[in-house]
Amino acid sequence: MNKKAHEILIRTRRRLFGQNVGNNISTFQGNGIDFAELKEYTYGDDVRKINWKVTAREQKPYINVFNEERELNIVIVYMVSGSIYFGTVRQKQEVMAEMLALLGFAALKNSDRVTSIFYDEEVLEWFKPSKSPNIVYAALEYALNVDVLRRRTSLQKVADFLLRAIRERSIVLLLGDFYDIADLSLLGAKHEVYAVIVRDRFEENPAFAGEYDLIDPVSGQHHLLDLTPATLQRYREDLLRHDRALEGHFLKERIGFTKIYTDEDPFIKLREMLK
């Protein structure tokens, strides 16, 4: 195991298995699949469990109550793209690897099965469901060492693949920088889905101008660009519109999401999302 992987393992295990229980990532809850009863909605209940047909009939909100599953299936999808080979503080690739370790150990701590899938436009590596820490070690090393340059992620292909491949209701966590948008409605209906958007602040708000020879990490092509303040402002506005559309889709389909920057502690943001 290389030095970087060893450092991440020490850091993540210390955060999750330390003595301060209050700082741990929340236990994965899941929605359950075994229906038990209906009950009237009370403050704090999960709005995703509202039964809209009964609510409309009774003119007050009711939620579905499920028997808890004894064991959850946690699927972590690491979306591989050349665009994650970037970072002014840490590379997005490394931050995503640390998140994979955090989520994997959180699942194991809860005695759940964890699966890790690496995907660009097809499956690159699939670590099958397991409760062994060895699967987290292996997935972490793969995440840090996989050559991401000249690879392109298709979020729609990821969603379509997961619909076919993951038959058991699962908690699906998608890790990537989400520079494309896809219809995740079917995936969100079948599984409990979370999207973790990993970005660098500089790529959202570039602060340079002039003529530059830039290399596209996805295609490998060189582009000679004259970056004027007006050009950069249009870029920021286009990205903002993209992200608003992306987050609007997540909200519509009740997909949990968070955005983590390369200068942030991923542990804190993941803990907030999973609460």
Side-chain angles (χ1 to χ4, degrees):
M1 182 177 295
N2 63 38
K3 181 180 179 182
K4 182 61 66 177
H6 187 64
E7 290 174 356
I8 291 175
L9 280 174
I10 291 175
R11 186 161 59 245
T12 54
R13 290 181 67 88
R14 185 178 296 151
R15 299 301 292 272
L16 285 166
F17 297 93
Q19 296 301 313
N20 192 350
V21 177
N23 281 337
N24 289 332
I25 287 179
S26 299
T27 299
F28 293 112
Q29 297 297 326
N31 283 337
I33 55 174
D34 183 14
F35 177 79
E37 62 178 343
L38 286 167
K39 85 175 187 71
E40 192 171 343
Y41 175 87
T42 56
Y43 179 78
D45 287 336
D46 188 349
V47 296
R48 292 174 295 184
K49 297 180 182 178
I50 291 177
N51 187 312
W52 295 105
K53 289 184 179 179
V54 175
T55 295
R57 185 176 68 242
E58 300 296 328
Q59 294 299 298
K60 54 184 177 181
Y62 279 80
I63 66 168
N64 296 319
V65 178
F66 297 92
N67 293 321
E68 292 185 4
E69 295 174 307
R70 294 183 178 179
E71 183 179 88
L72 295 172
N73 189 40
I74 311 300
V75 180
I76 306 170
V77 184
Y78 187 109
M79 295 189 288
V80 180
S81 170
S83 58
I84 67 174
Y85 190 79
F86 181 80
T88 55
V89 179
R90 289 198 293 165
Q91 281 197 347
K92 290 185 283 183
Q93 180 176 1
E94 180 187 329
V95 176
M96 287 168 58
E98 182 168 341
M99 290 191 297
L100 183 146
L102 281 166
L103 294 167
F105 281 128
L108 296 181
K109 185 178 181 182
N110 198 42
S111 298
D112 295 324
R113 293 170 297 169
V114 61
T115 303
S116 297
I117 300 173
F118 292 81
Y119 201 102
D120 54 3
E121 293 185 299
E122 61 183 9
V123 176
L124 298 176
E125 190 66 46
W126 186 342
F127 295 91
K128 299 294 184 179
S130 174
K131 291 186 177 182
S132 169
N134 290 334
I135 192 174
V136 181
Y137 303 151
L140 173 60
E141 275 211 284
Y142 187 90
L144 289 171
N145 295 321
V146 61
D147 184 4
V148 302
L149 290 173
R150 302 196 179 191
R151 295 189 185 277
R152 183 187 307 274
T153 286
S154 168
L155 182 57
Q156 191 62 61
K157 287 185 177 181
V158 169
D160 293 344
F161 163 75
L162 292 172
L163 278 171
R164 297 191 307 269
I166 309 300
R167 297 182 179 179
E168 178 183 352
R169 182 171 175 82
S170 304
I171 295 178
V172 177
L173 300 120
L174 305 172
L175 313 183
D177 51 16
F178 286 86
Y179 279 122
D180 63 338
I181 297 179
D183 183 356
L184 303 182
S185 57
L186 293 178
L187 186 67
K190 183 176 180 181
H191 303 290
E192 184 172 348
V193 181
Y194 295 88
V196 185
I197 306 166
V198 185
R199 298 277 179 83
D200 189 274
R201 296 186 192 276
F202 186 84
E203 64 185 333
E204 290 193 354
N205 188 29
F208 65 99
E211 192 172 89
Y212 292 88
D213 182 13
L214 301 179
I215 302 175
D216 184 339
V218 176
S219 67
Q221 295 179 345
H222 287 252
H223 299 277
L224 186 63
L225 300 176
D226 185 10
L227 300 177
T228 66
T231 301
L232 293 174
Q233 183 59 29
R234 286 196 299 272
Y235 164 81
R236 296 186 193 101
E237 292 171 355
D238 287 344
L239 182 56
L240 182 60
R241 281 192 292 269
H242 167 87
D243 284 355
R244 284 176 176 170
L246 181 69
E247 293 174 6
H249 181 66
F250 291 157
L251 290 170
K252 179 183 177 183
E253 303 303 334
R254 302 176 191 171
I255 292 171
F257 66 92
T258 189
K259 181 183 287 187
I260 299 176
Y261 291 101
T262 57
D263 63 349
E264 292 184 311
D265 182 352
F267 175 85
I268 295 172
K269 285 289 190 72
L270 291 174
R271 184 180 62 186
E272 291 173 355
M273 180 184 72
L274 293 173
K275 281 182 178 179

